[in-house]
């Protein structure tokens, strides 16, 4: 009996004051609990708020679970939202893609969106970029060092520009030097209106051969 009493006292000490069946486990309080009807715009505005931050289509079940609303109510709200967007001639719409919903720009405004996205991308290439692109086009696959040897200047910045424009890409690595090889892309052919690289004008004979490029590059590092 003494041992049992000691155990009881020890448990009481750990629990401090109060009965042994109180305070052992506290139910977590959901500090994010809410009622969508308390918001000024109600359910439709709550759904809009979620759709504005998703990075991929979200299902009606996911929306219903997050907002604690029955799925049919969410589906009805989505239809109401899209009908309102169409009636107000908004530039965006709601679309169900791959089983999920997301806000997209309306197809009618594709020319506007395209112009905005491509703004600045149609700028003409500089002379340095054109020269570097020509070397890569006619001597591909070619390393950055070889291109620098032909042009006589550092081409790191120009290479980055051409990569960003999608005109060139990495096409392999030299096993001995581990140097990256570059070549032109299909987009390059599209921009020049060519089917294959064989359709390039006969400029190659005016460029140094690969072994000569290596010699020039080696002399430049000496």
């Amino acid at each position: 009996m003494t041992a049992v009493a000691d155990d009881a006292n020890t448990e009481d000490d750990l629990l401090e004051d109060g009965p042994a069946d109180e305070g052992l486990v506290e139910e977590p309080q959901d500090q994010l609990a809410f009622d969508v009807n308390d918001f000024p715009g109600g359910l439709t505005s709550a759904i809009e708020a979620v759709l504005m931050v998703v990075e991929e289509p979200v299902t009606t079940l996911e929306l219903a679970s997050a907002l604690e609303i029955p799925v049919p109510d969410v589906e009805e709200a989505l239809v109401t939202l899209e009908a309102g967007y169409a009636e107000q001639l908004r530039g965006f719409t709601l679309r169900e893609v791959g089983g999920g919903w997301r806000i997209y720009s309306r197809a009618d405004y594709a020319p506007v969106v395209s112009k905005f996205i491509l703004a600045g991308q149609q700028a003409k290439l500089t002379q340095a970029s054109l020269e570097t692109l020509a070397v890569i086009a006619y001597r591909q696959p070619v390393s950055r060092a070889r291109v620098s040897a032909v042009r006589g200047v550092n081409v790191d910045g120009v290479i980055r520009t051409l990569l960003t424009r999608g005109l060139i890409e990495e096409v392999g690595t030299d096993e001995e030097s581990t140097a990256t090889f570059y070549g032109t892309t299909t987009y390059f052919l599209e921009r020049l209106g060519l089917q294959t690289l064989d359709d390039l004008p006969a400029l190659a004979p005016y460029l140094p051969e690969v072994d000569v490029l290596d010699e020039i590059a080696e002399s430049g590092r000496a």
Side-chain angles (χ1 to χ4, degrees):
M1 295 297 294
T2 302
V4 173
D6 289 342
D7 290 341
N9 290 337
T10 301
E11 184 177 49
D12 287 341
D13 291 339
L14 291 174
L15 295 176
E16 298 181 348
D17 297 328
D21 60 347
E22 294 181 4
L24 292 179
V25 178
E26 295 185 0
E27 291 295 331
Q29 296 182 352
D30 186 0
Q31 297 182 357
L32 296 179
F34 56 81
D35 184 341
V36 293
N37 294 317
D38 292 337
F39 295 107
L43 176 58
T44 53
S45 294
I47 291 176
E48 276 185 317
V50 174
L51 292 175
M52 288 295 180
V53 299
V54 298
E55 296 183 356
E56 56 186 20
V58 59
T59 66
T60 52
L61 180 59
E62 290 173 326
L63 287 170
S65 177
L67 301 176
E68 300 180 358
I69 294 293
V71 171
D73 291 351
V74 172
E75 293 175 341
E76 182 179 352
L78 289 168
V79 173
T80 299
L81 278 172
E82 168 47 20
Y85 296 157
E87 182 179 351
Q88 299 167 29
L89 302 178
R90 305 303 295 265
F92 50 86
T93 181
L94 265 177
R95 286 169 49 197
E96 186 176 15
V97 179
W101 292 83
R102 189 177 181 184
I103 291 178
Y104 294 86
S105 60
R106 197 173 292 278
D108 297 341
Y109 298 94
V112 177
V113 175
S114 298
K115 184 175 181 180
F116 173 78
I117 293 177
L118 297 176
Q121 298 300 314
Q122 303 299 327
K124 294 182 178 179
L125 292 174
T126 63
Q127 185 65 29
S129 296
L130 288 172
E131 292 175 1
T132 301
L133 182 58
V135 175
I136 294 174
Y138 285 98
R139 284 288 177 258
Q140 60 185 302
V142 62
S143 68
R144 190 178 312 218
R146 288 175 175 173
V147 177
S148 295
V150 173
R151 297 204 55 241
V153 295
N154 185 292
V155 296
D156 290 355
V158 178
I159 291 290
R160 285 193 295 270
T161 297
L162 295 176
L163 286 169
T164 301
R165 293 289 188 89
L167 295 169
I168 65 171
E169 62 186 348
E170 297 181 1
V171 294
T173 304
D174 188 292
E175 295 182 358
E176 296 182 359
S177 64
T178 69
T180 300
F181 286 143
Y182 296 94
T184 54
T185 62
T186 53
Y187 177 65
F188 165 80
L189 294 175
E190 292 173 5
R191 295 298 295 171
L192 268 66
L194 305 176
Q195 291 293 331
T196 68
L197 291 173
D198 294 335
D199 297 328
L200 284 169
L203 178 63
Y206 299 97
L207 293 174
E209 296 297 334
V210 173
D211 55 349
V212 176
L213 294 180
D214 288 336
E215 293 178 4
I216 297 176
E218 287 296 334
S219 62
R221 289 193 292 266

